[in-house]
Amino acid sequence: MAAEGKAIDALGQFELSTVLGPIGAAVGFTQSNLHMVIAAGLIVALMVYGMRPAAMVPGRLQSLAEAAYGFIDDMVVAQVGEEGRRFFPFVFTLFMFILFGNMLGLFPYAFTYTSHISLTFTLALMVFVLITAVSIALHGRKFLGYFFPEGAPVWLAPIIIPVEIVSYLSRPISLSIRLFANMVAGHVMLKVFATFVVMLAGLGAIGPFVSIMPLAINVALVGFEVLVAFLQAYVFAILTCIYLHDAVHLH
Amino acid sequence: MPQLDFSNPLMTSKLVWLVIIFGVLYFVLKSYALPRVASVLEERAGRIKADLDAARDAQAAGEAALAELRAATAAAKAEAQAAIATAMQEAQKKAAAEAEAINARLTAQVAEAEARVAAARDAAMGALRSVAGETAMAMLGRLGVSAPANDVTAAVDRAATQGGR
């Protein structure tokens, strides 16, 4: 099918391009960054405009803002403990930034900035630097004990220490690849089935009827993608919390 | 895959912008938006706690008032019963005293009446003897028998005492 020049271009949607004309081109401001600004604007609008009434009995937007706040607050306190409260703004920003990025990407013509491994890896690297800095600041040299659990037989050290170091270093990688792969897979599938709809619709008389099938699949996929968009933001946030717990308590 | 095309200069500039945007978002949320949410939630929790405390206080006060009412009712009941008992006792005492007084008076009257009856009978009996003596003297005179008056009187007396009362 792809041979007749009507190739399925599933990856073109991830291509970067500059926006805002020559100014954007001069400072390398891409459509990815534009969507980040929109997401950040929406988050701030929700948290500031939504909370503006500051009512005793919250309205709809205020309830949403409070639910988001309470959701992450509960997560941080449950995973890290009471001393994890000071990481709450970071985890909240991270969660909302990823969630809004994922959700925004589901709109037609929108760009999904979380579908770039460079971006998810940068976020994961922030988490990695944070947990390492927190561990060292809180525990100093005892931080190295993290790689060799107390009570383990000494002769196992040559095995345990490399394994622990590898598992520690693979954290940002698994964290970033999980989010990136989920978003890319979802959007590629959406694009592929959407292209099927168009291609099958062109197959003469039966075309419109046959193309119902990929359309139905796409409708289901969009619902699924909404779930994935939330779930991946949640997974990113809760893994950050778990790593922070390790950093604060060392195992 | 465009995501892996790291030679693209936009890849680097995108990340620079990411750091800037994420940093600004973090700063705005941390220093402005989130404290506001926290204060609203805190205020609500405080308000709910205060209301609950007030309700608890009101309940305690109500229970205290109810207990007080019960105590007052019980005290009043006891007092009333005591008053009734005293009044009854007093009335009984009074009634007994009056009955006693009436009894005494009646006894006195009965005694007095009996005395009067006895006196009347004695008087009647005395009169009867003198009449009997005189009759006996007169009969003796008719019969022509003279007898000392004293003996006749003594005989009449004897007969009277033997005969009846």
Side-chain angles (χ1 to χ4, degrees):
Chain A
M1 274 187 278
E4 300 96 298
K6 286 171 98 184
I8 301 177
D9 180 21
L11 296 174
Q13 57 175 325
F14 303 123
E15 204 82 58
L16 288 171
S17 61
T18 58
V19 289
L20 303 179
I23 306 167
V27 292
F29 194 82
T30 65
Q31 87 273 46
S32 170
N33 300 124
L34 180 65
H35 284 85
M36 288 175 203
V37 171
I38 296 170
L42 287 174
I43 295 166
V44 172
L46 172 66
M47 299 313 289
V48 174
Y49 176 74
M51 286 306 290
R52 174 142 302 159
M56 230 359 118
V57 179
R60 273 184 283 186
L61 262 188
Q62 195 186 333
S63 287
L64 188 62
E66 283 175 11
Y69 184 99
F71 181 67
I72 301 300
D73 195 43
D74 288 351
M75 186 200 286
V76 170
V77 172
Q79 297 298 332
V80 189
E82 203 54 51
E83 60 269 61
R85 269 271 158 74
R86 58 205 172 111
F87 305 116
F88 167 72
F90 176 70
V91 178
F92 185 82
T93 311
L94 203 57
F95 173 77
M96 294 300 264
F97 188 70
I98 295 170
L99 178 68
F100 274 64
N102 293 352
M103 291 291 186
L104 214 55
L106 286 173
F107 286 94
Y109 300 106
F111 184 86
T112 318
Y113 55 75
T114 43
S115 65
H116 270 242
I117 180 75
S118 53
L119 182 136
T120 59
F121 190 74
T122 308
L123 293 180
L125 210 58
M126 284 185 201
V127 173
F128 184 76
V129 170
L130 175 72
I131 59 171
T132 310
V134 166
S135 315
I136 292 174
L138 284 181
H139 304 289
R141 274 180 53 203
K142 266 193 281 175
F143 163 65
L144 293 177
Y146 184 83
F147 298 106
F148 188 69
E150 248 175 82
V154 178
W155 59 270
L156 273 179
I159 303 168
I160 290 179
I161 292 175
V163 165
E164 286 284 347
I165 289 175
V166 167
S167 94
Y168 190 77
L169 292 180
S170 66
R171 280 175 174 183
I173 297 167
S174 71
L175 204 55
S176 56
I177 289 181
R178 185 181 300 110
L179 175 58
F180 152 74
N182 268 285
M183 298 324 291
V184 168
H187 283 268
V188 165
M189 284 218 285
L190 280 175
K191 186 72 180 235
V192 166
F193 283 106
T195 314
F196 279 168
V197 175
V198 178
M199 287 172 133
L200 289 175
L203 284 181
I206 58 158
F209 301 101
V210 183
S211 64
I212 293 284
M213 288 193 299
L215 182 64
I217 291 174
N218 246 8
V219 169
L221 269 181
V222 167
F224 184 68
E225 280 304 305
V226 170
L227 177 72
V228 168
F230 176 80
L231 203 63
Q232 287 307 317
Y234 174 72
V235 166
F236 205 102
I238 200 157
L239 282 175
T240 303
C241 288
I242 290 169
Y243 296 158
L244 279 171
H245 171 265
D246 284 354
V248 172
H249 301 288
L250 281 192
H251 278 298
Chain B
M1 227 178 190
Q3 292 99 313
L4 300 179
D5 176 19
F6 294 110
S7 59
N8 187 348
L10 288 181
M11 205 65 121
T12 324
S13 71
K14 184 196 77 176
L15 294 182
V16 172
W17 280 110
L18 161 71
V19 172
I20 295 170
I21 295 166
F22 191 86
V24 169
L25 178 64
Y26 174 75
F27 180 77
V28 169
L29 287 180
K30 186 190 170 161
S31 54
Y32 183 63
L34 295 180
R36 266 174 61 87
V37 183
S39 76
V40 168
L41 291 180
E42 232 162 72
E43 200 181 312
R44 180 175 312 141
R47 172 83 175 275
I48 289 172
K49 192 178 172 301
D51 283 0
L52 277 180
D53 284 353
R56 214 167 287 135
D57 287 354
Q59 194 185 16
E63 265 162 18
L66 188 64
E68 207 174 300
L69 177 69
R70 283 212 183 106
T73 312
K77 212 185 245 178
E79 205 176 307
Q81 256 161 2
I84 290 170
T86 333
M88 258 164 72
Q89 232 164 12
E90 246 163 53
Q92 272 170 351
K93 216 182 275 175
K94 209 165 149 190
E98 269 173 19
E100 212 166 298
I102 289 169
N103 273 350
R105 213 170 61 219
L106 288 178
T107 317
Q109 278 173 357
V110 167
E112 199 186 324
E114 271 174 359
R116 268 210 310 271
V117 168
R121 200 182 60 195
D122 286 355
M125 289 296 277
L128 195 65
R129 275 177 204 176
S130 69
V131 171
E134 276 167 22
T135 314
M137 287 293 278
M139 280 160 68
L140 286 174
R142 278 279 186 88
L143 291 171
V145 181
S146 79
N150 279 351
D151 287 353
V152 175
T153 317
V156 169
D157 271 350
R158 218 165 35 240
T161 28
Q162 277 169 359
R165 306 259 170 137

